Amino acid sequence: MRKGSAPSRTCTDMRIPCPYCGTRDAHEFGYLGDATTRRPDGGDPFDQVHIRDNPAGPHEELWYHGAGCRRWLVVSRDTRTHAITGARFAKEPA
Amino acid sequence: MRYSILSVIANAIAGQTLWRPAWRDAEPKPAYDVVIVGGGGHGLATAHYLAKEHGIRNVAVVERGWIGSGNAGRNTTIIRSNYGLPGNIPFYEWSMKLWEGMERELNYNTMVSQRGVLNLYHSDAQRDAYARRGNAMRLHGVDAELLDLDQVRALLPLADFDNARFPIQGGLLQRRGGTARHDGVVWGYARAADQQGVDIIQNAEVTGFLREGGQEGGKITGVETTRGAIRAGKVGLSVAGSSSRVAALASLRLPIESHVLQAFVSEGIKPLVPGVVTFGAGHFYISQSDKGGLVFGGDIDGYNSYAQRGNLPTVEDVCEGGMALMPSIGRLRVLRSWGGVVDMSMDGSPIIDRAPIPGLYLNTGWCYGGFKATPAAGWCFAHLIARDEPHPVAAAYRLDRFATGHLIDEKGVGAQPNLH
């Protein structure tokens, strides 16, 4: 095992802690991308559809548990290490 | 030194002591006419064509690591121009023509091998779609042949022709497609650019932009790097994988997501795969390197990533595609796999355009297909930077096409980057 390395770098196996099903392999989920974009009230939705912050670091993103509870989740994941730090139902407030 | 049979003979007599470094590892000067950020194939090709085609020789290429350490060293080396949409076909065909003349132009062995690219089809509908794409190619003067089952059998005897779910019916062949040596391309362009006076500055990460009057929103007048500030008349970004991060330093947001694409190579074997072959019922492509290893890949992992490594579900998926195409390769061992971070754009096509900030130019959004575009991307980006107008074959690669609706979506999946 890789003793001494930072915890965020050892957790790269991509298991998502689904609030309903428990911790499951990311293989069971589909990905939709950035969960922080919002459709503007009556305005031009161009940014929401096309423009992304695309950060290198913590990222809030939408995953769909298609092979499980079939709920949409907002997963917190670091795009530099793939370390997943949390997941909640997308319908619930942050 | 010009490479030739004479230089080989002279060095054979002199005990290989006459060779000189192919290019200088330059120190940064305070100012240049043009600074290209990113020392990959695209950035170095841009510098070469700025000097060769436009006479702009006071140019620096600024690279965070060493040249060719990003996607230029992580791809599967495939070159082809078998696209189907009007905005793409002339560009990629121009790239293919530049590949065909590259070794003579650069005086460097880039091992361009036109061994053919064969896309297999597995249904009547797919045959019709391939015939349509082949016809579109031929209308643009690109070579394409629709092969029937017997012709494919002759080319690729070990494929699984009797697969119950995905029987191979034939294929679309571009004979002029093939592979090239990726490191050779990087070094060939670096050497040619260096000989024309371009400075290649390694280990210099861009940490910010110099703005006119020091103001947010002012014209870009140079870059801050870890090796000091460098002033520039114009700055071109050619930093695939990191485009959003570098653009963010200029407060610019792009229609791009960074994703990881994995590639694989097997142990070396005798000739098995004649050219590049793609499986039409899944996403899998394979070729054989000159050393004998099978080089193959498939889908991107599908989630935003800057990690330069992927995960096992995609490894499994790619290998399943290989087993469905050629079950006999299951007896081979995979030697290595690796990942590269690619700019997935919102329509699956690239961007070569001015940024909405004066003095800044963008070459980005190459998805997982940037290697084949290397010469033409350099050619067209140099044209854009030198003349402030797009090259005709790259005129469709505008940044504002996402707002105007002039998308170039070969796959037709919409603004969903991980599906392109």
Side-chain angles (χ1 to χ4, degrees):
Chain A
M1 297 305 291
R2 294 164 58 195
K3 279 184 184 168
S5 52
S8 64
R9 292 192 65 83
T10 57
C11 178
T12 58
D13 53 348
M14 296 276 288
R15 282 179 293 183
I16 294 175
C18 175
Y20 190 81
C21 305
T23 299
R24 308 298 289 256
D25 194 302
H27 209 179
E28 296 183 0
F29 298 77
Y31 183 76
L32 194 68
D34 194 333
T36 63
T37 60
R38 291 288 175 270
R39 196 174 181 87
D41 273 345
D44 184 351
F46 171 73
D47 273 19
Q48 187 231 351
V49 175
H50 289 108
I51 303 297
R52 297 286 179 268
D53 285 332
N54 193 22
H59 193 228
E60 299 276 302
E61 53 199 23
L62 288 163
W63 291 77
Y64 175 66
H65 200 179
C69 58
R70 300 200 286 175
R71 299 277 295 262
W72 280 97
L73 308 181
V74 173
V75 175
S76 305
R77 190 177 59 92
D78 192 310
T79 60
R80 295 166 303 184
T81 62
H82 301 160
I84 291 168
T85 52
R88 59 181 166 82
F89 293 127
K91 279 186 175 175
E92 291 175 355
Chain B
M1 175 188 283
R2 189 173 167 76
Y3 297 149
S4 68
I5 187 70
L6 294 176
S7 68
V8 173
I9 293 170
N11 270 285
I13 294 167
Q16 310 298 336
T17 55
L18 303 179
W19 299 116
R20 295 287 170 265
W23 43 273
R24 295 168 296 127
D25 193 15
E27 293 294 317
K29 289 191 287 193
Y32 294 90
D33 292 341
V34 176
V35 165
I36 304 295
V37 183
H42 285 219
L44 292 162
T46 304
H48 165 69
Y49 290 120
L50 276 171
K52 179 167 176 276
E53 298 298 323
H54 305 283
I56 301 173
R57 296 191 165 82
N58 186 22
V59 175
V61 176
V62 179
E63 164 59 41
R64 177 176 66 177
W66 61 92
I67 61 166
S69 58
N71 295 337
R74 294 166 187 267
N75 55 76
T76 47
T77 79
I78 295 166
I79 61 175
R80 57 185 175 89
S81 57
N82 55 358
Y83 282 72
L85 291 182
N88 277 334
I89 301 175
F91 174 86
Y92 285 103
E93 178 56 13
W94 178 234
S95 202
M96 182 57 74
K97 288 196 167 77
L98 290 172
W99 282 113
E100 289 174 325
M102 177 183 285
E103 291 169 355
R104 185 168 302 184
E105 179 188 340
L106 300 181
N107 179 230
Y108 202 91
N109 183 8
T110 53
M111 295 168 68
V112 174
S113 172
Q114 293 179 289
R115 53 185 76 179
V117 172
L118 176 64
N119 303 142
L120 298 173
Y121 59 79
H122 307 262
S123 66
D124 292 354
Q126 196 169 28
R127 178 200 59 213
D128 293 349
Y130 281 17
R132 183 172 187 269
R133 178 153 57 90
N135 285 334
M137 290 162 64
R138 293 173 73 129
L139 286 170
H140 282 81
V142 186
D143 70 305
E145 294 169 51
L146 198 66
L147 305 188
D148 62 20
L149 180 56
D150 289 339
Q151 289 170 298
V152 173
R153 269 187 204 278
L155 276 178
L156 197 67
L158 280 181
D160 185 5
F161 290 93
D162 302 319
N163 186 300
R165 285 182 72 192
F166 311 117
I168 295 168
Q169 294 190 4
L172 182 66
L173 176 66
Q174 186 187 20
R175 291 190 192 274
R176 286 162 64 241
T179 57
R181 178 69 207 173
H182 50 4
D183 303 317
V185 175
V186 171
W187 274 53
Y189 275 120
R191 175 170 170 270
D194 176 84
Q195 285 175 350
Q196 296 168 93
V198 171
D199 278 358
I200 297 166
I201 301 163
Q202 302 186 106
N203 301 308
E205 180 177 352
V206 167
T207 55
F209 289 95
L210 304 175
R211 309 296 284 259
E212 195 168 64
Q215 293 166 350
E216 183 87 358
K219 180 182 187 299
I220 301 269
T221 56
V223 291
E224 298 271 10
T225 79
T226 50
R227 296 183 68 180
I230 303 171
R231 284 180 284 117
K234 295 173 177 178
V235 175
L237 297 188
S238 199
V239 288
S242 297
S243 294
S244 296
R245 299 170 78 178
V246 181
L249 299 172
S251 305
L252 183 63
R253 297 168 78 226
L254 297 174
I256 290 207
E257 285 182 4
S258 295
H259 284 256
V260 59
L261 173 66
Q262 300 189 66
F264 308 82
V265 65
S266 79
E267 58 190 324
I269 54 169
K270 289 186 177 182
L272 176 72
V273 181
V276 179
V277 179
T278 70
F279 181 48
H283 194 173
F284 177 81
Y285 46 91
I286 188 167
S287 63
Q288 190 164 12
S289 79
D290 293 323
K291 284 192 289 188
L294 299 181
V295 182
F296 57 96
D299 273 326
I300 57 175
D301 272 41
Y303 42 82
N304 289 42
S305 173
Y306 285 92
Q308 290 191 319
R309 63 178 180 275
N311 271 295
L312 291 173
T314 304
V315 177
E316 185 179 27
D317 183 66
V318 170
C319 292
E320 281 171 352
M323 291 299 289
L325 172 65
M326 295 178 75
S328 54
I329 65 173
R331 297 179 62 185
L332 293 175
R333 284 164 293 196
V334 173
L335 278 192
R336 292 187 300 280
S337 69
W338 60 93
V341 179
V342 297
D343 290 344
M344 297 303 297
S345 70
M346 287 290 166
D347 63 355
S349 292
I351 296 159
I352 303 177
D353 201 357
R354 284 164 290 209
I357 303 168
L360 187 65
Y361 300 79
L362 300 173
N363 171 40
T364 180
W366 288 97
C367 299
Y368 40 76
F371 179 72
K372 73 179 86 69
T374 302
W379 182 282
C380 296
F381 198 34
H383 185 282
L384 175 75
I385 292 170
R387 303 195 184 183
D388 261 312
E389 59 185 45
H391 189 279
V393 301
Y397 297 153
R398 297 170 63 108
L399 178 61
D400 69 358
R401 70 175 184 269
F402 303 95
T404 61
H406 294 83
L407 303 179
I408 312 165
D409 191 341
E410 286 269 350
K411 211 166 167 186
V413 295
Q416 190 57 40
N418 64 338
L419 299 183
H420 283 292

